[in-house]
Amino acid sequence: MLKAKRVVLHSRPGKNGHPVPEDFRVEETVKPSELKEGEVLVRTLYLSVDPYMRCRMNDDTGADYLLPWRLEEPVDGGGVGIVEASKNKALSFGSIVTSFNWRWQSYDVMNGSLLHKVNPEMVNGHLSYFLGAVGMPGLTALLGVREKGHATPGTNQTMVVSGAAGACGSIAGQIGRLDGCERVVGICGSDQKCQTLVTELGFTSAINYKKGDISSALKEHCPKGIDIYFDNVGGPISDAVISQMNTDGHVILCGQISQYNKDVPYPPPLSEDTQDSLRFKNITRERFVVLNYMEKHKEGLLQLSHWVKTGQIKVLETVVNGIENMGDAFCSMMTGGNVGKQIVKISD
Ligand code: NDP
């Protein structure tokens, strides 16, 4: 009997706890072989770890569109794989497929109708990009900027991006530049990341929020104030940014990762001062959820693919090898161990 591996949720960190790799357990399982009509056998190539998974570790996710992971059952999320056997007419041996609900298993049997067949040419054969720049994080950046950012070329806007060296932020800043912002300033957690944003991704400048006073750094880097803020982190960083925003500015409320290990609702409550800034300066701050724009995903992926293939958008990834390292990769991403999209490579 051939063996496969899978990852189950072993323990919950608690709403106020920090996740640890030991919350996940790797198990041996049997490689499935029997297929029913409509099913395919897939071998997993790449798996994604994403911040939204933190709330799936709680017994109540706090979001109606996300179910909690169950204890001692396989964890799931974004994945890419290759079809190795098929009883589904739309998918043949060798098809490359993706899903948002891919179980963390080295092999799996799935209903073919729940998989999306993708064309490797869209990513020049770099299949992990379907989990990043030409996948959900890329769409989040693109649709977040386009739906909520109101970038207007020729008006000398300044855009600030927090979580700027991550999967969504690194793409969002580049789209801000392509959409005509005069200055794009990134905020992230190390000098090395700041340097990468400027030298490799074309950000105007970058601020390491772990060093020095963020308010004075923002004044220096954004001398004309801030018009658009792509917010991935929330908390004190966002309070500092919003306090320096211009009248009629726009906050793209993408995520609030600094608050994900706390028992607070989403979006977390704002301080009185920040609420006053928003109100008195007529700044919009509408919640943005990429899944609410399904009808724009196909066109969005084509746009992202074009930018990536033509080199107008540069893609950064941090790749870890082996299904045994899923828990480590998740916890590392949650604490800034990644530059660009955190990927786990499961097989060749
Ligand atoms: P990233 O690749 O950006 O990884 C997370 C990053 O967050 C880390 O690398 C770390 O970078 C940063 N971070 C962690 N803790 C803190 C903290 N306390 N303060 C500041 N930064 C912190 O993840 P994604 O790009 O996948 O996701 C980014 C955000 O976008 C998340 O908030 C996520 O929930 C949200 N999101 C929202 C979607 C939507 O539809 N609205 C869809 C997808 C993602 P550093 O070194 O800079 O600290």
Side-chain angles (χ1 to χ4, degrees), residues 250-267:
H250 301 284
V251 178
I252 302 158
L253 178 50
C254 177
Q256 305 275 283
I257 195 169
S258 72
Q259 310 296 304
Y260 289 176
N261 292 323
K262 294 181 186 163
D263 187 7
V264 289
Y266 187 88

Side-chain angles (χ1 to χ4, degrees), residues 176-219:
R177 194 200 60 216
L178 287 166
D179 279 2
C181 291
E182 185 190 35
R183 296 180 76 80
V184 177
V185 176
I187 304 176
C188 59
S190 77
D191 288 346
Q192 183 64 47
K193 289 184 179 185
C194 287
Q195 196 184 344
T196 302
L197 292 181
V198 176
T199 57
E200 292 185 38
L201 305 188
F203 281 59
T204 315
S205 63
I207 299 168
N208 176 355
Y209 70 86
K210 292 183 179 163
K211 245 171 126 181
D213 174 52
I214 182 125
S215 293
S216 44
L218 281 165
K219 281 204 182 77

